[in-house]
Amino acid sequence: QVQLVESGGGLVQTGGSLRLSCAFSGRTFGSYTMGWFRQAPGKEREFVSSISWRDGSTDYADSVKGRFTISRDNAKDTVYLQMNNLKPGDTAVYYCAADASSRMTDPDYWGRGTQVTVSS
């Protein structure tokens, strides 16, 4: 059974940076597309970013392009989300997800989430 454990969330001021990490265990990390979603209070969960296991290609939501960078370390079974120039609208619980397909379509596994709060 796959387990995903997020870390790195916290409180940051507008314009600040955070790096989220997601530790993967239970299966072969290199066989999963990894991604991040977020859910703000009163809103539905939304896609943020993903990185394919097949070729390392990345996808980003338009709202984070140019500010967030996803990466993965297959030797450490970990995926990262570097978040720069954070805005109050980025405040949400961030969830790590794993999808056995070559793109993030319908995640097979979810983490429990880590809170990111951006103050104005």
Side-chain angles (χ1 to χ4, degrees):
Q1 185 73 5
V2 169
Q3 290 190 328
L4 305 175
V5 180
E6 304 98 334
S7 61
L11 174 64
V12 65
Q13 291 185 335
T14 296
S17 298
L18 285 173
R19 188 176 81 153
L20 304 183
S21 300
C22 173
F24 176 106
S25 63
R27 294 280 172 87
T28 303
F29 178 70
S31 298
Y32 285 83
T33 292
M34 299 299 298
W36 293 91
F37 291 73
R38 67 186 182 185
Q39 187 168 20
K43 296 186 177 181
E44 293 188 354
R45 189 177 297 185
E46 65 175 2
F47 171 80
V48 175
S49 181
S50 66
I51 183 165
S52 173
W53 67 264
R54 176 171 289 179
D55 57 6
S57 59
T58 57
D59 286 318
Y60 295 93
D62 288 343
S63 59
V64 306
K65 282 181 181 176
R67 300 188 298 122
F68 291 11
T69 303
I70 191 170
S71 62
R72 63 189 297 158
D73 186 337
N74 287 345
K76 295 183 178 180
D77 292 355
T78 300
V79 62
Y80 304 97
L81 185 68
Q82 178 66 44
M83 306 186 294
N84 297 329
N85 191 21
L86 283 161
K87 305 175 181 180
D90 296 317
T91 295
V93 177
Y94 283 71
Y95 296 91
C96 180
D99 192 322
S101 66
S102 61
R103 297 197 64 183
M104 185 62 67
T105 53
D106 185 14
D108 299 286
Y109 301 100
W110 294 91
R112 293 187 175 183
T114 185
Q115 177 70 47
V116 171
T117 303
V118 184
S119 63
S120 58

